[in-house]
Amino acid sequence: MYKWIMHAVIAASADNRRAGLKAMDVLRHVQAHHPLGSRIYINSVMQALSNVAKVQSHANITPIIFDYDDTHKRLAVVDNGFLVYLNSTPFDEAVGYLASFSNETGA
């Protein structure tokens, strides 16, 4: 699920990344691009969003790149260096770094 959330972040406009992506916009993006499509349910996305800080902590990512505000239901990119990278990197190149899995088809 985290790959597809990242896909949503990469595809978002610079303004949306800065303001934070709404959870429902992330869900719609994931459903539109994930091989399972509409079989991806909000609970899966919300659980992943709620755990985004914990996952980064377990992976020893410092400083954290993403933060999820559960009150406002928004995922924000909080690392300015990553924002600069996304703003200056073509979509196809950035999305090309996302892992591909053998059970996936399509985007």
Side-chain angles (χ1 to χ4, degrees):
M1 185 57 57
Y2 296 105
K3 169 187 176 174
W4 297 103
I5 291 171
M6 184 66 180
H7 193 281
V9 170
I10 293 169
S13 70
D15 289 340
N16 284 342
R17 284 193 292 260
R18 218 173 2 269
L21 282 72
K22 295 177 187 175
M24 290 306 294
D25 291 339
V26 173
L27 172 65
R28 283 189 284 276
H29 181 89
V30 171
Q31 288 176 331
H33 293 88
H34 193 284
L36 295 178
S38 63
R39 292 181 289 173
I40 298 294
Y41 298 106
I42 191 164
N43 292 346
S44 300
V45 173
M46 295 303 290
Q47 182 178 8
L49 289 171
S50 294
N51 289 326
V52 76
K54 186 187 310 182
V55 168
Q56 293 172 95
S57 175
H58 286 302
N60 294 320
I61 297 173
T62 55
I64 63 167
I65 299 169
F66 306 106
D67 189 31
Y68 181 68
D69 179 352
D70 196 39
T71 302
H72 297 102
K73 306 289 187 225
R74 288 186 180 264
L75 176 68
V77 178
V78 294
D79 183 282
N80 287 330
F82 191 63
L83 283 172
V84 169
Y85 168 78
L86 290 177
N87 291 341
S88 62
T89 304
F91 172 80
D92 290 337
E93 182 179 338
V95 92
Y97 289 109
L98 296 177
S100 293
F101 301 100
S102 60
N103 64 341
E104 293 178 341
T105 59

